[in-house]
Amino acid sequence: MKINKLIIYFFITFLIKIDFAFSEIYFESSNIEIKSDENIILAYDSVAHSETKQLKIKSKKAKYDKKKQVIFFHDEVIFKDSANKLLLDSNKITYKELKDIIYSDGETNIVIKNKYKINNENIYYDRKLNKIYGSDETFIEDKEGNIYKLLDKFEINILKENIKSSKAFIIDTNNNKYIFENLFIDLQ
C-alpha cells in the first residue's frame, strides 16, 4: 500500500514539474485558422496570454509556429509583461517562447515600471536576463524628465535599473548636457 502511494506521489510530482517546464500560450481571437498539420495557428484581432509567464499580447494578426515555438505579431501590437511591469508597443514583434526573447522590428515604445519611457527601433527584450538591448539610437526619459540618448550599442537592466552604452548624450532636468563614452549609469 505504501509503495502505491509513493509511486502516485512521484507520478504527480513528475507531472507538476513537466507543467512548469512548458508554458502554454492561449489565444482569444475573432478568427483563428489552423494550418500545416495543426502546427501553424493564424489569429486575427487576437489576444495571446500566458498565465505562467504573466504575459498578454494584443495584435491585429498573429502567427504561432508550434514546432519552433515562435509567435509573430503584426499590426498594433501591445505586449504587456506583468511580471516585470513592462509595456511594449510596436507594429511587428517576434516572441521566441523557449528562449523567452522578444524582438521588435521597427519603431518601438516601451514603458518600464511607469518610471522610464523608451523609444527605439529594432530592440531585443530578454525576459530571462531582464535586459533590453540593441544597437540603434535609443531615447529614454525618466519620470524626473532627464533624457538619455543612447547613440550606439546599449543594454538596460530592468531589475537593477541601470544602463550601459558605448556612446550616450544626456540632458538633465536643469538642461545641462553631457556626452559619454562607455557609459554605465545607475538610475535608482
Side-chain angles (χ1 to χ4, degrees), residues 148 161-164 170 180 183-187:
Y148 308 84
E161 295 185 36
N162 62 40
I163 300 171
K164 294 179 189 176
I170 299 173
F180 295 94
L183 170 76
F184 177 85
I185 189 164
D186 187 348
L187 297 171

Side-chain angles (χ1 to χ4, degrees), residues 1-6:
M1 188 70 161
K2 286 184 179 183
I3 293 175
N4 285 341
K5 285 183 182 180
L6 189 60

Side-chain angles (χ1 to χ4, degrees), residues 118-124 132-140 150-156 163-167:
I118 302 169
N119 183 276
N120 180 298
E121 290 190 8
N122 310 325
I123 198 165
Y124 291 89
I132 296 171
Y133 56 93
S135 56
D136 292 339
E137 189 173 87
T138 301
F139 294 90
I140 302 171
L150 311 178
L151 303 170
D152 206 356
K153 295 178 184 175
F154 71 92
E155 180 182 289
I156 302 165
I163 300 171
K164 294 179 189 176
S165 179
S166 55
K167 283 187 177 181

Side-chain angles (χ1 to χ4, degrees), residues 3-178:
I3 293 175
N4 285 341
K5 285 183 182 180
L6 189 60
I7 290 171
I8 290 171
Y9 172 76
F10 283 123
F11 181 72
I12 290 172
T13 304
F14 180 71
L15 286 177
I16 290 170
K17 287 183 180 180
I18 288 174
D19 187 43
F20 284 113
F22 300 101
S23 73
E24 292 285 328
I25 299 288
Y26 299 96
F27 283 88
E28 297 171 23
S29 176
S30 63
N31 184 12
I32 293 179
E33 297 176 31
I34 300 173
K35 304 204 177 224
S36 301
D37 298 325
E38 299 183 4
N39 287 315
I40 302 291
I41 298 172
L42 301 174
Y44 304 93
D45 295 319
S46 70
V47 176
H49 56 90
S50 169
E51 288 186 28
T52 55
K53 291 189 177 188
Q54 298 182 34
L55 296 177
K56 186 174 186 178
I57 308 112
K58 294 181 183 181
S59 67
K60 293 288 181 186
K61 298 176 193 171
K63 178 182 174 184
Y64 183 29
D65 186 326
K66 288 170 71 174
K67 277 186 179 177
K68 295 179 183 176
Q69 292 192 303
V70 175
I71 310 173
F72 305 94
F73 297 96
H74 299 275
D75 302 330
E76 300 177 29
V77 183
I78 299 173
F79 184 97
K80 183 178 181 181
D81 179 349
S82 297
N84 292 309
K85 298 178 184 170
L86 183 139
L87 187 66
L88 183 151
D89 71 75
S90 182
N91 269 323
K92 188 176 179 184
I93 291 176
T94 302
Y95 176 49
K96 294 184 179 183
E97 186 179 7
L98 288 178
K99 292 183 179 182
D100 217 3
I101 293 177
I102 293 88
Y103 172 69
S104 178
D105 186 11
E107 186 175 346
T108 305
N109 296 298
I110 301 173
V111 177
I112 304 171
K113 301 177 185 176
N114 287 323
K115 290 181 172 181
Y116 312 104
K117 294 179 184 177
I118 302 169
N119 183 276
N120 180 298
E121 290 190 8
N122 310 325
I123 198 165
Y124 291 89
Y125 169 34
D126 187 326
R127 292 187 73 240
K128 288 182 181 178
L129 298 176
N130 290 299
K131 293 183 179 180
I132 296 171
Y133 56 93
S135 56
D136 292 339
E137 189 173 87
T138 301
F139 294 90
I140 302 171
E141 184 175 352
D142 64 22
K143 67 180 182 178
E144 285 83 28
N146 298 305
I147 298 171
Y148 308 84
K149 183 177 178 181
L150 311 178
L151 303 170
D152 206 356
K153 295 178 184 175
F154 71 92
E155 180 182 289
I156 302 165
N157 187 311
I158 296 169
L159 293 180
K160 295 180 181 177
E161 295 185 36
N162 62 40
I163 300 171
K164 294 179 189 176
S165 179
S166 55
K167 283 187 177 181
F169 181 73
I170 299 173
I171 302 173
D172 68 16
T173 55
N174 296 320
N175 211 27
N176 296 310
K177 298 174 184 170
Y178 308 93

